[in-house]
Amino acid sequence: MSDLARPAGPKIIAVANQKGGVGKTTTTINLGAALAELGCRVLVVDLDPQGNASTGLGIEPEDRDLTTYELLLDDTELHAVVQKTSVERLMIIPATVDLSSADIELIANEKRSYLLHDALRQAAMDDFALDFILIDCPPSLNLLTVNAMVASHSVLVPLQSEFFALEGLSQLMLTIREVRQTANPHLRIEGVVMTMYDARNNLSQQVESDARDNLGELVFNAVIPRNVRVSEAPSYALPVLQYDGSSKGAAAYRELARELLHKNAKMAA
Ligand SMILES: Nc1ncnc2c1ncn2[C@@H]1O[C@H](COP(=O)(O)OP(=O)(O)OP(=O)(O)O)[C@@H](O)[C@H]1O
Ligand SMILES: [Mg+2]
């Protein structure tokens, strides 16, 4: 990737789709864990008031004193908000429901779209020696998601293998275009990843072939299958790679991580 597109420091990726329940959080957690397993240092930023990424990575509610909310609205420094997880090299800034009011509080703030961008570019970021930052966005194209897109180098879009999956994409692409035209001209699309894929279901196959026809190379070769181990893992506060490393879900997220690293290495060349 050119220096222009990617300044020194971690690659920042917003995991976004305004549609609810399509696998954003699952992808953030498990792609993060898979990249960490490959030796990368990864920070997950929980930017969803639901706090699902925080729960899924084992951060108890009582351990969420300092969260993304404080990072964005109280200028809290990075060292105070970044927490370790049970996975080596995988860190998180947790979130609580407090973040739901941030969307409204931010409206009065002149720098409202740049708060996450600026927070992630504190000098202290170097201390963490990160390779990747993955931002788990809420199911909405609100100011939080815009903050994520302004802060990021790229957007990774989980697409659930179901009917109407592609319909919501045009709205998402419009928002990406708007952010490009205003605050972040270098914002790219990292790729689209098919989630909850059921190979026995004709509909899954149809949605996948539609996605590949329409979006071409943007669609990752790695496809995440619907896999019960993936859905069980968060209740054990673990990524599926730790919960059941030999499951099909774990294998798929490992493949996605390798493909993402490969894509990025090619772009850097
Ligand atoms: N590959 C999979 N196999 C089985 N279940 C899955 C898979 N991916 C996600 N799920 C389940 O689907 C539900 C929605 O997933 P997830 O929370 O990741 O979506 P989301 O897009 O983050 O949702 P929200 O929009 O509410 O933030 C969860 O219960 C999750 O466990
Ligand atoms: Mg989520």
Side-chain angles (χ1 to χ4, degrees):
M1 216 180 297
S2 75
D3 287 346
L4 259 185
R6 185 179 168 192
K11 168 104 188 230
I12 308 178
I13 303 176
V15 181
N17 186 336
Q18 77 277 15
K19 203 162 184 307
V22 297
K24 293 179 288 294
T25 302
T26 305
T27 296
T28 305
I29 290 176
N30 293 303
L31 175 60
L35 287 167
E37 194 179 76
L38 289 169
C40 299
R41 292 178 58 82
V42 184
L43 172 67
V44 166
V45 177
D46 192 344
L47 198 62
D48 185 350
Q50 297 179 99
N52 295 148
S54 310
T55 308
L57 284 170
I59 311 296
E60 301 285 344
E62 59 268 28
D63 295 327
R64 296 184 208 171
D65 270 350
L66 294 173
T67 65
T68 318
Y69 178 91
E70 282 74 25
L71 179 74
L72 294 182
L73 288 128
D74 297 342
D75 281 335
T76 305
E77 62 140 314
L78 277 169
H79 281 280
V81 293
V82 174
Q83 295 195 33
K84 287 186 178 157
T85 70
S86 60
V87 180
E88 202 182 343
R89 291 183 290 275
L90 183 62
M91 290 150 266
I92 184 166
I93 304 177
T96 64
V97 70
D98 286 352
L99 201 54
S100 56
S101 65
D103 198 35
I104 295 155
E105 288 174 49
L106 285 177
I107 290 172
N109 190 316
E110 210 176 298
K111 295 195 67 189
R112 57 186 177 245
S113 306
Y114 290 87
L115 293 178
L116 185 60
H117 173 279
D118 294 352
L120 295 181
R121 281 158 181 85
Q122 294 178 28
M125 185 53 91
D126 294 347
D127 302 345
F128 297 93
L130 295 170
D131 299 296
F132 288 95
I133 299 178
L134 303 178
I135 306 171
D136 186 24
C137 293
S140 151
L141 293 171
N142 61 10
L143 210 38
L144 288 169
T145 299
V146 169
N147 259 269
M149 290 184 180
V150 172
S152 294
H153 299 111
S154 64
V155 182
L156 175 66
V157 184
L159 193 71
Q160 192 180 348
S161 313
E162 61 154 36
F163 203 57
F164 293 134
L166 286 165
E167 315 248 302
L169 276 191
S170 50
Q171 195 59 40
L172 182 65
M173 296 301 170
L174 263 181
T175 305
I176 293 174
R177 197 177 309 157
E178 271 170 34
V179 170
R180 265 194 205 130
Q181 283 165 356
T182 53
N184 186 2
H186 300 301
L187 183 66
R188 312 176 64 113
I189 297 169
E190 190 68 41
V192 173
V193 57
M194 308 295 305
T195 62
M196 297 182 238
Y197 187 82
D198 182 353
R200 291 160 305 180
N201 185 330
N202 285 339
L203 187 55
S204 271
Q205 294 172 11
Q206 187 63 49
V207 174
E208 186 193 8
S209 75
D210 280 359
R212 293 195 191 280
D213 287 349
N214 283 291
L215 304 164
E217 291 211 334
L218 276 182
V219 185
F220 280 94
N221 293 323
V223 168
I224 312 300
R226 185 175 281 285
N227 176 238
V228 67
R229 306 305 260 172
V230 171
S231 55
E232 287 168 359
S235 56
Y236 294 84
L238 289 171
V240 72
L241 283 87
Q242 273 69 33
Y243 173 64
D244 184 353
S246 61
S247 62
K248 283 188 173 167
Y253 276 110
R254 286 195 181 102
E255 210 181 308
L256 179 65
R258 279 192 297 268
E259 198 179 337
L260 185 118
L261 281 182
H262 186 71
K263 256 190 177 180
N264 278 276
K266 243 186 9 199
M267 287 160 106

